[in-house]
């Protein structure tokens, strides 16, 4: 189904708590953002990387990947604005990945794709891990676009607000093999714990 799916990698945050751009941090010799690209690329015809202006030129692209910044009218308004910007690339479905989950695995998205194939009427498919929704690791139908635009115009920037307005299926953790794949890195201390855990 990759001809009808566009990938959106969200790398537009300011990384304030981390102290430097998380997207460019190296884990096992590879930048965080590349793990996100690798996780979704088997299912996408192309991938849009929504980058913070300061790092746009530092992100490597390929024939099927390109880097843009948030639209100026919504710049700095969080991941919902990034999803809106990515949705300017016309597609039936959008596969969203954050840039700060270096353990992200393509099997997660394979599971989500299998659900899309049999539930075309859904607007969004979101994993739930330990009773917490993971809206930045999910799939969104193009039908979500006008709802996102309305929220941004109302200065409502929470992705959760979108999920209250569209048809959503949540997928429980039993469907996923590895909870660690959802681990997002917000601080240097969290990154150190990840490095120590992987070296045990």
């Amino acid at each position: 189904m990759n001809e009808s799916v566009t990938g959106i990698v969200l790398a537009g945050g300011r990384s304030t708590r981390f102290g430097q751009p998380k997207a460019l941090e190296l884990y096992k010799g590879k930048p965080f953002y590349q793990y996100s690209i690798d996780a979704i690329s088997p299912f996408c015809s192309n991938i849009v990387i929504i980058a913070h202006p300061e790092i746009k030129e530092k992100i490597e692209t390929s024939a099927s990947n390109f880097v843009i910044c948030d639209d100026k009218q919504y710049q700095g308004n969080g991941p919902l604005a990034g999803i809106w910007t990515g949705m300017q690339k016309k597609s039936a479905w959008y596969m969203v990945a954050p840039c700060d989950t270096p353990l992200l695995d393509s099997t997660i998205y394979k599971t989500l794709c299998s659900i899309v194939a049999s539930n075309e009427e859904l607007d969004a498919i979101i994993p739930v891990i330990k009773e917490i929704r993971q809206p930045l690791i999910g799939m969104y139908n193009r039908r979500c676009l006008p709802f996102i635009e309305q929220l941004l115009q109302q200065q409502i920037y929470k992705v959760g607000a979108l999920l209250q307005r569209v048809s959503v299926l949540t997928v429980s953790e039993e469907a996923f093999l590895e909870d660690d794949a959802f681990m997002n890195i917000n601080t240097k201390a969290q990154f150190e714990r990840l490095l120590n855990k992987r070296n045990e």
Side-chain angles (χ1 to χ4, degrees):
M1 63 178 295
N2 68 349
E3 290 184 3
S4 60
V5 178
T6 291
I8 301 175
V9 174
L10 300 171
R14 290 173 294 210
S15 303
T16 306
R17 284 186 287 169
F18 198 76
Q20 63 191 67
K22 288 188 290 184
L24 302 179
E25 185 63 56
L26 296 179
Y27 176 63
K28 295 185 177 180
K30 191 161 67 173
F32 278 12
Y33 75 84
Q34 189 61 52
Y35 286 97
S36 302
I37 291 173
D38 291 347
I40 65 176
S41 60
F43 316 103
C44 302
S45 55
N46 48 64
I47 296 173
V48 185
I49 304 159
I50 313 298
H52 191 281
E54 293 180 0
I55 67 169
K56 182 176 183 287
E57 302 304 323
K58 298 178 181 178
I59 293 179
E60 295 182 14
T61 59
S62 68
S64 59
N65 304 342
F66 60 98
V67 184
I68 59 175
C69 296
D70 276 328
D71 188 280
K72 288 187 177 180
Q73 63 179 320
Y74 299 131
Q75 205 164 71
N77 291 332
L80 197 61
I83 294 172
W84 180 89
T85 299
M87 281 187 169
Q88 302 314 298
K89 172 73 175 176
K90 287 189 177 181
S91 190
W93 283 89
Y94 299 87
M95 185 173 282
V96 176
C99 72
D100 58 0
T101 49
L103 302 183
L104 200 57
D105 192 288
S106 62
T107 58
I108 294 169
Y109 292 100
K110 184 177 181 179
T111 298
L112 299 181
C113 278
S114 68
I115 295 170
V116 167
S118 57
N119 293 273
E120 285 287 340
E121 75 282 359
L122 291 170
D123 297 321
I125 303 170
I126 305 295
V128 175
I129 301 298
K130 297 178 181 176
E131 300 184 359
I132 298 175
R133 291 188 300 186
Q134 307 289 328
L136 304 188
I137 300 176
M139 294 188 66
Y140 294 85
N141 192 277
R142 187 168 181 80
R143 290 186 295 268
C144 293
L145 183 57
F147 293 97
I148 297 174
E149 188 155 1
Q150 184 180 55
L151 288 168
L152 293 173
Q153 289 173 352
Q154 294 172 349
Q155 298 183 345
I156 299 172
Y157 305 127
K158 298 288 188 182
V159 181
L162 170 66
L163 301 182
Q164 293 173 357
R165 290 163 168 78
V166 299
S167 173
V168 181
L169 176 68
T170 55
V171 185
S172 65
E173 58 196 293
E174 289 80 12
F176 305 106
L177 298 176
E178 183 63 71
D179 286 0
D180 282 354
F182 294 86
M183 182 189 303
N184 67 308
I185 306 298
N186 289 313
T187 66
K188 287 288 181 64
Q190 289 175 334
F191 188 36
E192 286 298 323
R193 286 197 291 272
L194 171 61
L195 293 174
N196 292 335
K197 182 176 182 179
R198 292 286 142 168
N199 290 330
E200 289 176 356

